[in-house]
Amino acid sequence: VTETTFIQHLLKCRSVHEAMLLALVGDAHAADDLYQQAALVMTRKREEIPEDCQFRPWSRKVIVNVVRDYRKQMARQRLSLLDEQSLERIAGAFEKLDETILDARREALRRCLSKMDAPQRKLLHDRYEDNRSIQELAAEASRSRGAVETMLYRLRQALITCVERTLGTGGAR
Amino acid sequence: MMTPEDQLDALILRYLDGALDENARRELETRLRDGAVAERLAVLASDQMELRRLLKSTAVAEDVARFARAPGKQFPARLSKTQARKRRWVAIGALAAATVLLVAAMFWAFRPGLRLEEGLVSVAGVETSRLREGERFSVVGDRPAVLRLGDGSRVQLEVGSEGVAHGRANGTRQLFELKHGAGRFKVEKGMGIFRVETPSGKVTVLGTEFDVKLQPGASKGEDNMNGKAALTLVVAVVVGSVQVDWSGDSVKLSAGQKQAFAAEGRDLAEDGRTGKSVAERAGDAEAKQGEKMAIMGVPKELNDKVLVESFDGKTYEVLNQAGDPAREITEVPNIVFLEATLVKKEQNGITVQVDRHGFSGSPWTEATRKLAAQYRYDEKKKAMGVMTIVAVPRFKGPKLILDSLDGKSYEVVLTESARGIARLDKGPLYLEVTLAKKQEDGGTVKLGMFGDSPMNEEAEQLEVKYLNEIIALKEAAGQPFLDIYRERVLERVRKAGEAKAGEEKAGEHKKEGRAE
């Protein structure tokens, strides 16, 4: 793999790698940090990639290993992530994901998000882009933590429904 | 009633939100035995990452920012069906009127040019929320004002600040004049020069975020006669780099760096009493009381005093402007440069009051650069264990970790300037560090200079060595490597290659000579 091809692969797969890390650790902050680590490991090991090796399966193995190391660190702090079998199943599920469907979902999500009103988008923005805690959002809106959690869940569920309706896949899971 | 599919989605969404308790996590593990559940989790995680990206996009962010300014609409309302029916007809009637208002509002909101987004300003003594380019204004009220300039850049000005937004002027794409006060500038990337002019100097930037503050400096005879105080310009760079033109000198500051500059033409480095410049006095410890001098030395704290062991062989007790021990200078791990005023000279020591110091240990003026050359700063640094690394910073809980591209990891001793890293994006940085505790795979380091571009020759060599990794990491962190910069580095790579080839050729000639 030439250096240019490696960089192209790394950039092209970024969104899948980030999603995979989020799915494996269930924590957006940790996923962000682990992505940096994984990219660093991949960059260091790029010369080890055999010529006939496919980048995606190789990079996913790197990601799973980075997550395994992270699990060990978390275990030392008595914090637990999903078990080993679950990690492997999730990593396997990413192997099966159809890029075309993901692209279609992205486009549908963009449209569905634009249909939401400003307060709804602001709440999503504060939580998922600004990474503000539920507690903080609840205090700011003078609502209970449960109310904010419920509202966020409803917004996310509404987006999922809208995306799947747009793609005609509602119910076909 | 939730369907089983909805219940599964709810469980997955809570997991992706980091909100699962132990029992729910076990439930998810059990359900993940079904391959379809794992696939659903993969799809929803992809959706969530995409949602973050979309929310980050300018259109949505601006929409959110506009909404955030509208009072009384901070949380999405949920209407019951009956309420919704009752309100529908009222809403239809209001819709027509609202459409007219909306068109007018959109015309106002999206018009190009200067716009006051938050806060209140006063023009010619009259409070207003509208501003025109070229008008001198001051920020009034009890909160900072946020201005959106014609090129999309934003400036947040503290209450009491005074300025003029000139728009496209004097060959710049945007010229902002800060006459008084302080502001944070978030400059949109784009063609042309963005410049902030102050009475004490000019700051020129291209796509960056930085603070500019004008604070009362040392009194000058001429200023006092005019009833004005000289203003010291303080520039702190958050992201990117800026060039500060001040007093005929030009200084480049990178992310994480902060520096104070005296009023233009009234350099603090000039001694008020004798007219002798600090540059002339660099390295001269024979100054008289009240005179200014430059010092290069190693700071340390001893018995509640801050001392600098200078390379001229003397030890100085250093006070800050408030007369307290200048602890801020001890943040610099090894060698510090100071411009200071001599307070007293007694048999048992010399006391100085610091006027300015290099924020991250770097020499920054003619006087301090002269000292750096005189005492061979680069060699001294190396001898004191300062090393240069290229690394990616990350926070691990409260700890700041640097993952160096040579494979080692270092924990950073946290200081105020080290915390500045947290404000940077997560791309690779060039750093000067000193090992405080060595370990096999790294250790603990104290931080000196750092920035997103090389600050010394060693950093330039590392950039050549790890060029591909640096490009990949910068791209991955959303910091595209600018073509012009890439060309500059490639030129260095080419030169390094030529030098190496030259050495090899010379070696071969030597070999051939010996063989003959």
Side-chain angles (χ1 to χ4, degrees):
Chain A
V1 178
T2 65
E3 287 156 3
T4 317
T5 318
F6 170 77
I7 294 168
Q8 280 170 349
H9 281 320
L10 192 64
L11 295 177
K12 199 174 173 192
C13 294
R14 182 178 179 172
S15 51
V16 177
H17 288 161
E18 285 176 333
M20 190 171 166
L21 281 162
L22 175 64
L24 291 171
V25 298
D27 175 343
H29 284 288
D32 282 349
D33 284 345
L34 291 174
Y35 177 74
Q36 299 293 326
Q37 275 187 44
L40 199 61
V41 173
M42 283 183 230
T43 310
R44 273 190 213 135
K45 292 191 171 179
R46 72 167 195 281
E47 281 164 12
E48 294 172 18
I49 310 174
E51 272 183 29
D52 57 348
C53 170
Q54 287 193 321
F55 179 76
R56 287 183 185 199
W58 175 82
S59 63
R60 282 168 195 171
K61 271 181 202 157
V62 172
I63 284 179
V64 171
N65 285 335
V66 166
V67 172
R68 281 194 181 120
D69 286 346
Y70 178 67
R71 278 182 75 221
K72 283 180 202 159
Q73 291 169 28
M74 290 294 101
R76 282 197 285 274
Q77 294 172 33
R78 296 181 186 282
L79 297 167
S80 40
L81 297 185
L82 292 176
D83 59 21
E84 180 65 29
Q85 289 80 5
S86 301
L87 292 194
E88 281 181 11
R89 282 190 195 106
I90 294 168
F94 272 90
E95 296 282 346
K96 290 181 198 161
L97 276 189
D98 185 334
E99 281 291 326
T100 328
I101 291 178
L102 283 186
D103 284 345
R105 281 188 80 93
R106 284 186 194 118
E107 180 52 28
L109 186 63
R110 192 182 61 75
R111 285 186 199 173
C112 293
L113 187 65
S114 69
K115 287 179 192 164
M116 287 193 150
D117 63 23
Q120 292 169 334
R121 278 200 297 265
K122 181 174 181 329
L123 184 60
L124 290 170
H125 181 274
D126 288 351
R127 176 72 184 119
Y128 297 109
E129 164 50 20
D130 279 356
N131 285 327
R132 296 176 66 192
S133 69
I134 304 262
Q135 199 69 43
E136 205 182 326
L137 296 174
E140 189 181 279
S142 306
R143 301 288 172 120
S144 69
R145 191 192 155 95
V148 176
E149 269 176 350
T150 307
M151 180 54 78
L152 275 168
Y153 167 70
R154 286 190 181 142
L155 294 177
R156 296 292 313 280
Q157 193 65 54
L159 280 174
I160 294 171
T161 310
C162 172
V163 165
E164 287 169 359
R165 229 177 248 159
T166 309
L167 299 176
T169 55
R173 289 174 183 169
Chain B
M1 175 113 181
M2 278 173 99
T3 63
E5 287 85 1
D6 287 343
Q7 283 171 2
L8 173 64
D9 281 356
L11 184 67
I12 292 174
L13 291 178
R14 276 168 55 214
Y15 166 70
L16 295 175
D17 237 1
L20 282 196
D21 59 22
E22 192 62 23
N23 289 336
R25 184 177 59 79
R26 287 209 191 100
E27 187 194 338
L28 182 60
E29 282 172 351
T30 311
R31 299 194 67 170
L32 278 168
R33 286 177 200 156
D34 177 353
V37 173
E39 280 173 36
R40 184 69 178 163
L41 173 55
V43 166
L44 295 187
S46 302
D47 278 2
Q48 183 150 326
M49 292 313 293
E50 187 57 25
L51 179 63
R52 281 179 67 184
R53 258 187 293 279
L54 287 169
L55 290 166
K56 201 174 190 171
S57 73
T58 316
V60 175
E62 290 208 347
D63 179 21
V64 167
R66 270 200 300 279
F67 172 73
R69 290 189 299 278
K73 283 257 178 192
Q74 299 298 314
F75 198 74
R78 186 167 177 265
L79 300 180
S80 73
K81 283 181 183 171
T82 334
Q83 281 174 318
R85 266 198 301 273
K86 278 183 187 169
R87 292 185 189 181
R88 190 167 299 144
W89 288 106
V90 181
I92 289 169
L95 189 64
T99 307
V100 176
L101 285 174
L102 185 67
V103 171
M106 283 179 72
F107 177 76
W108 170 251
F110 291 103
R111 81 198 194 287
L114 181 63
R115 186 147 48 101
L116 180 67
E117 292 192 330
E118 281 177 39
L120 206 55
V121 295
S122 161
V123 177
V126 180
E127 284 185 11
T128 177
S129 58
R130 293 186 184 190
L131 256 185
R132 276 184 301 210
E133 283 176 350
E135 278 180 340
R136 180 169 177 161
F137 65 90
S138 54
V139 180
V140 293
D142 54 3
R143 62 190 176 122
V146 178
L147 269 63
R148 184 189 157 112
L149 306 178
D151 67 341
S153 301
R154 282 187 169 79
V155 50
Q156 179 175 321
L157 292 163
E158 287 180 6
V159 175
S161 300
E162 286 177 32
V164 182
H166 290 281
R168 293 162 71 96
N170 297 351
T172 64
R173 81 170 204 239
Q174 203 65 216
L175 175 64
F176 189 90
E177 198 180 347
L178 182 67
K179 292 182 176 292
H180 183 77
R184 168 164 289 196
F185 294 80
K186 197 166 186 178
V187 180
E188 284 293 306
K189 284 197 168 114
M191 297 294 287
I193 293 168
F194 184 103
R195 182 176 294 148
V196 180
E197 290 190 358
T198 76
S200 306
K202 298 170 190 167
V203 187
T204 306
V205 296
L206 189 66
T208 187
E209 187 175 341
F210 62 101
D211 295 329
V212 172
K213 186 176 181 182
L214 287 165
Q215 62 186 30
S219 302
K220 303 280 171 169
E222 189 193 331
D223 294 322
N224 289 342
M225 281 170 70
N226 294 336
K228 288 191 288 183
L231 294 173
T232 298
L233 167 66
V234 182
V235 181
V237 183
V238 180
V239 177
S241 59
V242 302
Q243 178 179 307
V244 184
D245 293 302
W246 131 97
S247 217
D249 206 348
S250 177
V251 175
K252 191 180 168 198
L253 295 181
S254 301
Q257 290 189 308
K258 179 182 176 184
Q259 199 164 306
F261 304 86
E264 195 162 48
R266 298 183 180 88
D267 184 2
L268 275 182
E270 190 183 310
D271 190 312
R273 280 175 43 162
T274 63
K276 191 176 177 184
S277 75
V278 179
E280 287 170 62
R281 206 189 292 290
D284 174 6
E286 301 307 318
K288 295 188 181 76
Q289 193 175 337
E291 285 184 355
K292 299 204 176 286
M293 59 197 300
I295 299 168
M296 170 186 173
V298 182
K300 64 175 183 182
E301 279 193 75
L302 189 70
N303 299 334
D304 211 29
K305 287 179 179 173
V306 171
L307 304 174
V308 169
E309 287 174 352
S310 163
F311 288 101
D312 63 9
K314 295 186 169 58
T315 300
Y316 298 88
E317 182 184 347
V318 185
L319 306 176
N320 60 23
Q321 289 289 313
D324 299 321
R327 291 206 167 77
E328 56 275 24
I329 69 166
T330 61
E331 274 203 0
V332 179
N334 285 297
I335 298 168
V336 67
F337 292 88
L338 304 175
E339 285 193 357
T341 306
L342 195 136
V343 177
K344 61 181 178 184
K345 194 176 347 181
E346 291 168 345
Q347 267 195 333
N348 54 352
I350 307 167
T351 306
V352 296
Q353 192 162 38
V354 65
D355 296 319
R356 295 184 290 177
H357 74 278
F359 180 65
S360 54
S362 51
W364 76 101
T365 59
E366 193 187 341
T368 50
R369 281 197 288 268
K370 196 171 166 183
L371 282 176
Q374 186 180 344
Y375 295 114
R376 296 166 189 260
Y377 176 45
D378 286 337
E379 287 174 24
K380 283 266 186 319
K381 266 195 298 187
K382 258 190 190 158
M384 297 183 80
V386 176
M387 56 183 188
T388 306
I389 59 170
V390 186
V392 179
R394 69 183 155 93
F395 273 89
K396 186 179 166 189
K399 290 180 184 173
L400 173 59
I401 308 291
L402 298 171
D403 291 318
S404 171
L405 296 196
D406 63 7
K408 293 181 176 163
S409 281
Y410 300 97
E411 184 183 339
V412 179
V413 176
L414 277 178
T415 58
E416 194 193 335
S417 55
R419 283 177 208 282
I421 285 185
R423 294 187 298 181
L424 299 175
D425 285 338
K426 290 177 177 174
L429 294 177
Y430 304 81
L431 310 106
E432 279 189 354
V433 296
T434 312
L435 264 179
K437 190 178 158 194
K438 194 177 176 182
Q439 282 167 349
E440 199 182 325
D441 55 349
T444 306
V445 291
K446 286 185 174 178
L447 197 61
M449 276 187 269
F450 65 89
D452 57 4
S453 54
M455 79 294 276
N456 63 29
E457 209 174 299
E458 208 180 335
E460 284 183 356
Q461 286 165 4
L462 287 173
E463 184 169 61
V464 169
K465 186 174 177 184
Y466 296 112
L467 182 63
N468 291 313
E469 287 91 334
I470 291 169
I471 292 175
L473 287 165
K474 274 183 180 277
E475 298 268 4
Q479 304 166 352
F481 214 63
L482 298 178
D483 285 344
I484 186 169
Y485 189 63
R486 192 191 301 254
E487 276 165 26
R488 226 160 52 201
V489 180
L490 288 174
E491 178 65 17
R492 281 211 304 272
V493 174
R494 192 180 57 75
K495 279 185 180 163
E498 278 174 6
K500 200 178 170 189
E503 277 170 23
E504 281 170 3
K505 211 171 179 182
E508 276 169 22
H509 281 310
K510 229 176 178 178
K511 237 180 182 176
E512 282 166 14
R514 272 203 299 268
E516 278 168 17

